[in-house]
Amino acid sequence: MPDSKLIEIIQAGPLVTVQDLGRYGSRHQGVSRAGALDGLSLRIANRLVGNADDAAGLEMLFGNTRIRFLKEIWFALAGCECFATLNGKPVHLGWTKRARAGDELFINMPRNGLCAYLAFDGGIVVPVLMSSRATDVQGGFGGWQGRKLQNGDLLPIGKKNPKQLKTRGVLLPVLNQVVRVLAGPEAEQFEPSVQDAFFSQGWKITADSNRMGFRLEGDTLHRRESGDLLSHGVFPGTIQVPPNGQPIILAAEAQATGGYPRIASVIQSDLWKLGQLRPGAFVHFEKVSLTEAVQAKQQQQLYLTRISLALSAKT
Amino acid sequence: MKKESVQIYWVNEQAITIQAPAPVSLEQQQRMWALGASFQARDGITEIVPGMNNLTLAFDESRVDGECLMHELQQGWCTINVSAQSGRLVEIPVRYGGEWGPDLADIAAHTGLNVDEIIRIHSEAEYTVFFIGFQPGFAYLGGMPVELTTPRRSSPRQAVPAGSVAIGGAQTGIYPKTSPGGWQILGHTDVVLFDPSRDEPSLWMPGDRVKFVVTEVAHA
């Protein structure tokens, strides 16, 4: 592909990685899903620039990232509430924007939330490994050379889509700290009063959280039963309670199997919120039923469909 | 075996686990693998993850009805044909002791066996890959002789080198990549357990049989 190297990382923030919607079908080999912590924002950004939902973009934790475009290209930014500029002029979240060769985009530290997502018309075309372009930071594979991005990295962007893009915007989902969960398989191993404590308090996100999991700090959750569980499958969104009684929400890069009791599980349509839980913030859990979880997913699908309809409307 | 005593439960709205009663047995594990394999080609199934005495299926809930899947798992558990075929035999060349096995003396002190006995017992046994988890390519092996059981180190190491062959409690395993860990290291292998660029990145699959082959023994 001629002129394939199209963007340059001038200043990489604390954790900038190439991500898509993650790796499926390899968990039996111990491989994590990886992919965007906030997959919804990446999806929206991709739709804005006319990409397929699973095209690879950039995930930036804590902003502080500067990118230079080496060729004209459309892009869209979504995710955390952050201030961004293109050659010093503000760039709005949830809008398509055209950058010209030489333009510089700066994504500032977020005011609220954690992860910002940048999608480029054509997507980042790193090799597909185990059916995904996602970076597995722990595993050291996938994405761009299996690692977080550094200053000077040059990333190849795929072929522009043939559609003519225009400056357009969509209403982004509102960040909030309430995450809906289903009762976990071992919820009953906690006294009802302990289960209540889980739902009634705000849990602080600790600083040692990472793409594997978000560690929470709050009142200790005592388990009624002791004894180890047999290792079982776990997923992003599974909330484990290790013996110290401080829960962990497994995130995108969670290991495939675990052995701690699972008090709850984040519903699929709220998984995106995990990407916006920053250290020091508080998260609250709201219990929902299986039916409500399925309905929530359908509502999210409807929202995404509306976005696509709005973007394809002629004006 | 009481086939009806399995438990089937939701992990989340798109994953279901079937759990067989304790104790863990190779027979139950084989049944889980066969059950998992029967869903291999099924549309809408996104992950098939064997665990210890359990099997988890993840699915796209817009294409698969969870309640039906639970029913099918229950039925399948009772009726699945567990063929006697065994997995591939994977041989792992191991250098035991010395700098390759810094905890061999501790294992000896705990088990009351001498170093040569430990190496002999560890390498004569045949193991079975029960499932893979914890890290890409990390196999939970069944079949370690009970006399080798040694508790984990009281303080874990910051970095256990990739390829370390170790014992943790009643289990033995190999670290696929350098990582923190508390298992007692008795040897080292150069075999690459996980390579994402291979067609099958993991060296082994659940059901494979494993033998440790002594290539070198260093006495401290």
Side-chain angles (χ1 to χ4, degrees):
Chain A
M1 198 181 303
D3 290 329
S4 66
K5 281 173 182 166
L6 283 178
I7 61 163
E8 182 181 0
I9 307 296
I10 308 281
Q11 175 193 332
L15 186 55
V16 183
T17 52
V18 174
Q19 297 296 349
D20 60 14
L21 297 179
R23 213 158 254 124
Y24 288 81
S26 294
R27 259 181 131 63
H28 63 288
Q29 300 193 41
V31 175
S32 76
R33 180 179 301 171
L37 286 168
D38 173 356
L40 180 61
S41 292
L42 177 61
R43 270 194 167 92
I44 295 167
N46 270 329
R47 289 192 185 207
L48 278 162
V49 294
N51 286 347
D53 280 0
D54 63 352
L58 284 188
E59 176 180 278
M60 294 161 282
L61 276 72
F62 300 105
N64 278 317
T65 299
R66 190 178 296 278
I67 290 155
R68 182 184 293 140
F69 294 88
L70 302 182
K71 209 179 162 184
E72 178 179 306
I73 189 162
W74 286 84
F75 68 92
L77 182 65
C80 60
E81 290 170 20
C82 59
F83 182 67
T85 56
L86 187 68
N87 293 340
K89 293 194 190 107
V91 169
H92 299 290
L93 257 70
W95 284 78
T96 50
K97 183 98 182 157
R98 183 171 54 172
R100 294 191 163 79
D103 282 359
E104 281 188 22
L105 176 67
F106 179 67
I107 293 100
N108 216 322
M109 174 90 180
R111 285 174 297 225
N112 186 19
L114 175 65
C115 292
Y117 292 88
L118 252 181
F120 307 95
D121 177 11
I124 302 172
V125 286
V126 292
V128 173
L129 262 187
M130 288 173 270
S131 67
S132 165
R133 293 190 161 103
T135 311
D136 188 316
V137 180
Q138 289 290 325
F141 58 84
W144 180 249
Q145 299 180 1
R147 59 164 170 82
K148 66 178 189 172
L149 299 183
Q150 300 164 356
N151 298 352
D153 283 340
L154 288 165
L155 299 182
I157 305 293
K159 249 200 181 84
K160 261 178 72 64
N161 78 57
K163 267 188 290 185
Q164 280 298 311
L165 290 170
K166 297 180 198 168
T167 304
R168 288 218 166 138
V170 297
L171 203 56
L172 293 177
V174 179
L175 301 186
N176 66 53
Q177 316 284 19
V178 180
V179 169
R180 290 169 291 182
V181 299
L182 297 165
E186 283 81 42
E188 299 297 317
Q189 295 186 8
F190 297 86
E191 295 285 353
S193 62
V194 176
Q195 293 181 48
D196 288 346
F198 177 73
F199 289 105
S200 60
Q201 66 182 302
W203 291 91
K204 190 177 180 181
I205 313 293
T206 72
D208 55 354
S209 298
N210 55 31
R211 281 179 43 83
M212 278 182 85
F214 291 82
R215 289 170 183 270
L216 308 179
E217 196 181 286
D219 295 342
T220 303
L221 301 178
H222 294 288
R223 184 172 162 223
R224 181 157 43 195
E225 302 164 31
S226 61
D228 291 336
L229 302 170
L230 294 170
S231 294
H232 45 244
V234 292
F235 296 92
T238 299
I239 304 178
Q240 300 179 324
V241 183
N244 70 4
Q246 302 290 294
I248 299 170
I249 314 177
L250 299 183
E253 249 179 63
Q255 66 274 25
T257 60
Y260 292 136
R262 297 156 287 182
I263 194 167
S265 190
V266 177
I267 66 170
Q268 298 303 305
S269 54
D270 276 4
L271 275 183
W272 69 275
K273 293 180 180 176
L274 301 184
Q276 303 305 342
L277 297 177
R278 66 200 270 171
F282 285 81
V283 60
H284 292 262
F285 299 113
E286 182 190 325
K287 193 172 178 174
V288 296
S289 68
L290 214 49
T291 312
E292 288 169 303
V294 173
Q295 283 167 353
K297 182 76 184 286
Q298 288 163 349
Q299 276 165 12
Q300 190 170 83
Q301 285 304 124
L302 198 62
Y303 164 73
L304 286 166
T305 305
R306 283 205 196 101
I307 286 180
S308 290
L309 285 174
L311 290 171
S312 62
K314 289 198 163 55
T315 48
Chain B
M1 182 175 41
K2 286 195 301 194
K3 287 177 185 167
E4 61 282 2
S5 56
V6 290
Q7 252 191 301
I8 299 178
Y9 57 77
W10 295 89
V11 179
N12 59 39
E13 71 271 42
Q14 45 180 228
I16 284 166
T17 297
I18 174 167
Q19 172 78 52
V24 174
S25 73
L26 181 58
E27 190 197 353
Q28 294 199 120
Q29 206 66 21
Q30 285 168 331
R31 189 163 285 270
M32 290 296 174
W33 300 327
L35 191 56
S38 71
F39 286 93
Q40 198 72 58
R42 183 71 67 85
D43 183 54
I45 300 285
T46 53
E47 303 282 358
I48 300 170
V49 193
M52 198 62 105
N53 247 12
N54 58 48
L55 174 76
T56 300
L57 298 184
F59 54 91
D60 174 351
E61 77 274 31
S62 65
R63 287 189 285 164
V64 173
D65 182 275
E67 296 284 346
C68 291
L69 190 60
M70 288 178 125
H71 188 69
E72 277 187 71
L73 279 170
Q74 175 79 58
Q75 287 264 305
W77 178 254
C78 299
T79 57
I80 193 87
N81 182 24
V82 183
S83 64
Q85 68 171 35
S86 48
R88 298 170 304 158
L89 178 66
V90 182
E91 294 196 336
I92 304 288
V94 181
R95 297 190 185 100
Y96 285 94
E99 59 174 310
W100 307 112
D103 299 329
L104 210 43
D106 288 354
I107 300 171
H110 180 83
T111 59
L113 300 163
N114 70 40
V115 165
D116 290 326
E117 286 169 331
I118 293 167
I119 294 170
R120 183 181 56 76
I121 296 168
H122 190 260
S123 58
E124 276 181 4
E126 187 177 284
Y127 304 85
T128 305
V129 177
F130 270 21
F131 68 99
I132 295 166
F134 170 58
Q135 280 180 357
F138 181 88
Y140 286 79
L141 299 173
M144 189 176 80
V146 285
E147 58 265 43
L148 292 180
T149 301
T150 309
R152 291 164 178 80
R153 291 166 56 83
S154 52
S155 103
R157 287 189 172 84
Q158 289 291 318
V160 176
S164 293
V165 180
I167 288 173
Q171 297 195 77
T172 187
I174 308 173
Y175 286 82
K177 63 174 297 199
T178 302
S179 62
W183 287 25
Q184 311 276 3
I185 306 170
L186 68 163
H188 185 273
T189 182
D190 294 332
V191 170
V192 176
L193 303 188
F194 185 85
D195 176 354
S197 66
R198 291 195 292 231
D199 280 346
E200 274 300 327
S202 176
L203 173 73
W204 36 34
M205 299 297 278
D208 284 347
R209 294 168 300 130
V210 178
K211 284 280 285 185
F212 295 106
V213 179
V214 187
T215 57
E216 204 178 322
V217 176
H219 287 276

